[in-house]
Amino acid sequence: MPEITTLKEELQQAIIKGKRDAVEPLVRKLLFDGLNPEAIMNDVMIPAMDVVGDQYSRNEIFLPEMMIAARAMNIGLDILRPMLTAQGALGKGKVVIGSVKGDIHDVGKNIVSMVLQGAGYEVIDLGIDVAPEKFIEAIHQHQPKFVLMSALITLTMSMMDETIWTFKKAGVREKVKIGVGGAPLTQKFADQIGADFYGKDARAAVIKCNTLI
Amino acid sequence: MLIIGERINASRKSIADAISSRNAAFIRNEAKIQAAAGADYIDANAGTFVGEEAKHLQWVIETIQEAVDLPLSIDSPDPAVIKAMIPLVKKTPMINSITLEASRLEGILPLVAEHKAKVIGLCQSGDSIADTAEAKVKMAGQLVKKVEASGVPLDHLYIDPLVYPLATDDRSALATLDAIETIMKEFPGVHTTCGLTNVSYGLPNRKLVNRAFLVAAIGRGLDSVILDPTDKQLFGALKAALTIAGKDEFCMQYIAGFREGRLE
């Protein structure tokens, strides 16, 4: 029987390398050996995803390598999720995410979504072309800590402004931290529209969420 | 093979800078080098200037026309902008682009019909993207119907099935290739076109992936493309692929490209 420390190390490596098939047996072995689900997630899996995120932001790995790691991570999370939910210990909280109304681009949003899940957030993905009212509905329903909005084209950037303004009118603006991202965006634009933060990529989004929890 | 030169696009920083500083020499040169490299149409885009697109695009169009005789591809999603630009062009333009979005169909197709222009139709609706071959072909069929109903001949329609990044969906290029083949078979007379850069997003050595994708797409029947014609390796791959696909009588285009030093 391998030592628990060896198994932990193997699981980390499996996630970092995106080895989906290796993740499930390793998680099950660790559970069998008595490690609790929260420790598996917080001490093993999330640090592995941190390594991947760092490698990506230093351009040491390419986007598909981060995606495949996130997929491996999510397979582990799928096993742990029911136990974590039962313990009331599911990670860092809820995030509602979507591409704003008029914007049907979802590649960037999907990446952020996967990486946030990998980092221990529960992500509610509203998809593309999300009207302000739909965001508000989701805020009422899910009580998230964060609302993240994506816009890939300059045309729909102004919809972010309108969405935040609609949040204010509906009295939900102060209930959530708002993060914005997308290729044409800048920190300056995020400040102008009164968002809480701007993330230039998926890694940045995770770091900003972590600091604002 | 109809080639649309993509370089004059305000999403490129050097172009945006040239537009905002009214650096006409820079834009003229961008037009000239694309014409010399074999572009059939020069794309004109000022899309990143929100609220001031028409003003800037007008200047871009006038500047390009000072430099080259080629027809233009007027690149804007906004019917009002397109309507304002059409009277400025000297040759019958291509409109880039319509989608299945009602406002764009209703606002742009009558202009295309009236001016006998060509038009690019994206396989995309107001609220969804098509990421499978089936979905792309279905939207292509809807575009064909709308275009025919507006009185625009199918020969003027260039369907872009769109390609999404392989980095996030490793079947994305295949979906586009399958769609190109089916569209060319199912809707005789219609053309297909495609931008290439999206496919390689997030991958290393992107240009290699773009080239391989172009070659594969030509093999499936793609007969127009939106690219940078001054990229000699890309242009070389284009010419070789056309020759291989049996679209180059006696290989004369390939040989001519070689003699002119345009293939690598």
Side-chain angles (χ1 to χ4, degrees), chain A residues 56 62-64 67 102 104-107 111 128-129 154-155 157-158, chain B residues 47-48 50 77 124-129 165 167-168 201-204:
Chain A
Y56 181 67
F62 296 101
L63 179 54
M67 299 299 284
I104 61 170
H105 297 89
D106 64 355
V107 171
I111 296 169
I128 53 176
D129 191 28
T154 44
L155 217 59
M157 280 166 64
S158 57
Chain B
T48 54
V50 180
Q124 178 177 302
S125 72
D127 56 4
S128 66
I129 55 170
T168 54
Y201 175 79
L203 290 177

Side-chain angles (χ1 to χ4, degrees), chain B residues 61 226 232 235 253:
Chain B
I61 285 173
I226 305 158
K232 286 184 180 179
F235 200 80
Q253 295 291 327

Side-chain angles (χ1 to χ4, degrees), chain A residues 186-202:
Chain A
T186 57
Q187 180 66 51
K188 195 176 145 207
F189 176 79
D191 295 341
Q192 274 171 10
I193 64 171
D196 293 302
F197 65 92
Y198 159 71
K200 78 169 170 51
D201 58 24

Side-chain angles (χ1 to χ4, degrees), chain B residues 1 4 28 41 56 59 65 89 156 158 168 218 231 236 261:
Chain B
M1 173 59 72
I4 303 153
R28 282 198 296 264
Y41 282 75
H56 291 292
W59 177 80
Q65 291 187 134
V89 298
H156 284 186
Y158 288 74
T168 54
I218 288 172
D231 178 338

Side-chain angles (χ1 to χ4, degrees), chain A residues 34-162:
Chain A
L35 201 62
N36 75 59
E38 213 178 333
I40 297 177
M41 183 173 75
N42 292 330
D43 304 340
V44 186
M45 293 174 49
I46 290 177
M49 216 48 215
D50 285 343
V51 171
V52 173
D54 284 342
Q55 288 176 338
Y56 181 67
S57 57
R58 286 196 302 266
N59 295 322
E60 289 169 9
I61 60 171
F62 296 101
L63 179 54
E65 295 175 290
M66 183 165 76
M67 299 299 284
I68 201 173
R71 185 183 68 171
M73 173 84 185
N74 281 326
I75 282 168
L77 279 180
D78 284 345
I79 303 169
L80 300 178
R81 192 170 287 122
M83 306 170 205
L84 293 168
T85 314
Q87 286 179 9
L90 192 62
K92 300 177 185 164
K94 290 181 184 175
V95 178
V96 162
I97 189 168
S99 301
V100 293
K101 188 177 173 192
D103 206 308
I104 61 170
H105 297 89
D106 64 355
V107 171
K109 171 194 62 80
N110 291 348
I111 296 169
V112 174
S113 195
M114 275 187 88
V115 175
L116 277 170
Q117 283 182 44
Y121 291 90
E122 185 184 343
V123 178
I124 297 120
D125 187 343
L126 302 180
I128 53 176
D129 191 28
V130 180
E133 298 72 30
K134 267 178 79 180
F135 276 113
I136 292 169
E137 217 179 284
I139 294 171
H140 288 308
Q141 192 187 337
H142 300 287
Q143 310 283 331
K145 285 183 185 163
F146 298 97
V147 171
L148 303 190
M149 293 186 254
S150 156
L152 193 80
I153 49 176
T154 44
L155 217 59
T156 52
M157 280 166 64
S158 57
M159 185 48 70
M160 291 182 157
D161 196 2
E162 195 174 324

Side-chain angles (χ1 to χ4, degrees), chain A residues 104, chain B residues 97-101 104 120-144 157-164 175-176 179-180 183 187 191-193:
Chain A
I104 61 170
Chain B
S97 56
I98 56 168
T99 63
L100 284 168
E101 222 171 326
R104 279 167 85 172
I120 295 176
L122 309 180
C123 292
Q124 178 177 302
S125 72
D127 56 4
S128 66
I129 55 170
D131 53 8
T132 64
E134 294 72 33
K136 290 174 198 285
V137 172
K138 193 175 162 210
M139 287 195 189
Q142 291 165 343
L143 283 167
V144 164
L157 173 60
Y158 288 74
I159 295 180
D160 183 347
L162 299 174
V163 63
Y164 297 105
T176 303
I180 288 168
I183 290 166
F187 311 109
H191 303 278
T192 42
T193 193

